[in-house]
Amino acid sequence: MDHSEDLNWKIFFEENSKPSHFDENVKLIFEVCQQAAIKKHRVALVTSGGTTVPLEQNTVRFIDNFSAGTRGSASAEYFLEAGYQVIFLHRSKSLEPYSRHLVGRSIFDMIEILPENIIIGQKHQVELRTLTEKYQQYKCNLLMISFNSLSDYLWLLQATTQKMQILGPLALLYLAAAVSDFYIPASQMPCHKIQSSGGPLSLSLQLVPKMLAPLVTLWAPNAFIVSFKLETNETLLESKSKESLEKYHHHVVIGNLLHSRKVYVILVDRSSSPPEEIRLSDSELESGVEIESKIVENLKERHTKYYANHKTG
Ligand code: PMT
C-alpha cells in the first residue's frame, strides 16, 4: 500500500458526512460487543446487499448494483445457528434473515378466511411455524443495522469494526456486501435534481479508496477477516482472489463468479494452494441445500483454529 492510498480513506470520511441515526446505531453495536466480550461469545459482522452512489445531494437518482442480499441474509442465519451473535449490516429493503423465505410470496395466498376469523392456510402452517420458531429462537442474538448509500455503509463499517476490537479474535468479519468502487464526492455533487434541459449527462466518478486496508491494519487488527471477491471472468477469479489476500494480509478471500455464485466458490487463504472449493451437487441443490451453509461451516472451523492459536500465540 503506498502512502497516498493510506491517506485516501481518511479523506473519504472527511468529505462525506455520517449517516442519520449514526450515534444511536453505534451505541447499539457497542452494547452488543461489550456483552459478548464479557460472555466470551463469538460475534460475526455480516455485511449484505448493494451500496448506492447518489448523483445529487437531494437524491432523486443514484447508481446501484445487482446484489439482493441473498448471500448475506442466508449466511447470517447459518452463523446464528452455529452459535454466533450476528451484527447484520445490510442494505435497507434487501433480503433479511428468516423473512427472506417469504419474499416474493403474497400473504393473501397464505391466509384462509373462516366465518369468524382468518387463519394461516393448512399447507403453509408447517413452514411458517418452523420459520417463526427459528426467528424467535435467534432474534436476541441478531442486531440488524441498515444503510443505503456507499458512504453510509463505509461509515457504519468503520464504526462497527472499531467497536468489535473489544472482542479481539472472537470477532469474525464477513464482508459480503457488494461495495461500489466508484462514487461522486459530496463536494462535486450538484445540490438539486439534475435537469434534463441541460442536455445529455456525462458523469465523472472517482475511485473509492479500498477500505480493506485500514480495516485490517487499524480498525480490527485481531479479528478473523473474510472478504469476497466478485468477478465475471472465470479466468481471473483465482488470481484476483490471491492478489487481494496478498495485498491486505487478512485471512480468507472467498472468490465467486456472478453467474455461478449460488453453487460454486473458492476459498483462498495463506496456506492452501490450489484453493479449497465448495461446489453444490445437483442433488444438494434439488434438496434445497444452500451454499452458505457450507461456507459458514468451513469458516467456523477456521475461526476456531484462529482463536485457539491467538490465545496460545
Ligand atoms: O447479494 P447476492 O446477490 O447474494 O450476491 C452476493 C455477492 C456476489 C455480492 C457477494 O458474494 C460478493 O462477492 N460480495 C463482494 C462484492 C465486492 O464488492 O467485490 P469487489 O471485488 O468489488 O471487492 C472485493 C472486496 O473489497 C470486498 O470484500 C469489499 O468489501 C472490499 N471493498 C470494496 C470496495 C471498497 N471501496 N473497499 C473495500 O474494502
Side-chain angles (χ1 to χ4, degrees), residues 64-132:
D64 203 352
N65 65 46
F66 69 95
S67 170
T70 311
R71 174 83 82 222
S73 57
S75 304
E77 284 180 22
Y78 294 112
F79 276 117
L80 287 163
E81 286 162 29
Y84 283 77
Q85 174 89 39
V86 171
I87 300 173
F88 184 60
L89 181 56
H90 68 289
R91 164 78 178 275
S92 171
K93 303 195 182 83
S94 67
L95 295 177
E96 294 176 5
Y98 305 109
S99 65
R100 73 186 170 105
H101 299 277
L102 303 173
V103 168
R105 292 154 72 184
S106 169
I107 183 88
F108 302 118
D109 293 332
M110 296 184 183
I111 285 175
E112 255 175 49
I113 300 178
L114 300 180
E116 294 196 343
N117 59 2
I118 57 171
I119 59 161
I120 302 287
Q122 195 66 38
K123 67 177 179 188
H124 301 290
Q125 281 195 9
V126 175
E127 183 196 3
L128 282 176
R129 173 185 283 272
T130 311
L131 264 183
T132 311

Side-chain angles (χ1 to χ4, degrees), residues 49 66-71 153 175-181 208-212 227-230 256 261:
F66 69 95
S67 170
T70 311
R71 174 83 82 222
Y153 168 72
L175 306 174
V179 185
S180 176
D181 284 320
V208 179
K210 279 280 181 190
M211 295 299 173
L212 269 174
S227 73
F228 281 79
K229 187 79 209 141
L230 175 68
N256 56 174
R261 66 190 191 277

Side-chain angles (χ1 to χ4, degrees), residues 133-205:
E133 280 172 356
K134 278 193 180 176
Y135 174 72
Q136 302 282 8
Q137 181 180 352
Y138 293 114
K139 70 177 182 191
C140 57
N141 289 333
L142 174 63
L143 175 65
M144 301 216 284
I145 305 283
S146 67
F147 61 82
N148 269 306
S149 69
L150 169 78
S151 152
D152 295 358
Y153 168 72
L154 293 178
W155 268 104
L156 287 162
L157 178 70
Q158 182 192 44
T160 308
T161 53
Q162 285 174 335
K163 295 298 175 208
M164 288 177 87
Q165 263 204 37
I166 190 178
L167 292 153
L170 285 168
L172 181 150
L173 313 183
Y174 183 86
L175 306 174
V179 185
S180 176
D181 284 320
F182 306 101
Y183 81 120
I184 303 177
S187 59
Q188 295 170 26
M189 223 188 281
C191 180
H192 292 292
K193 185 186 166 207
I194 300 167
Q195 296 296 325
S196 59
S197 54
L201 180 62
S202 306
L203 291 174
S204 167
L205 303 176

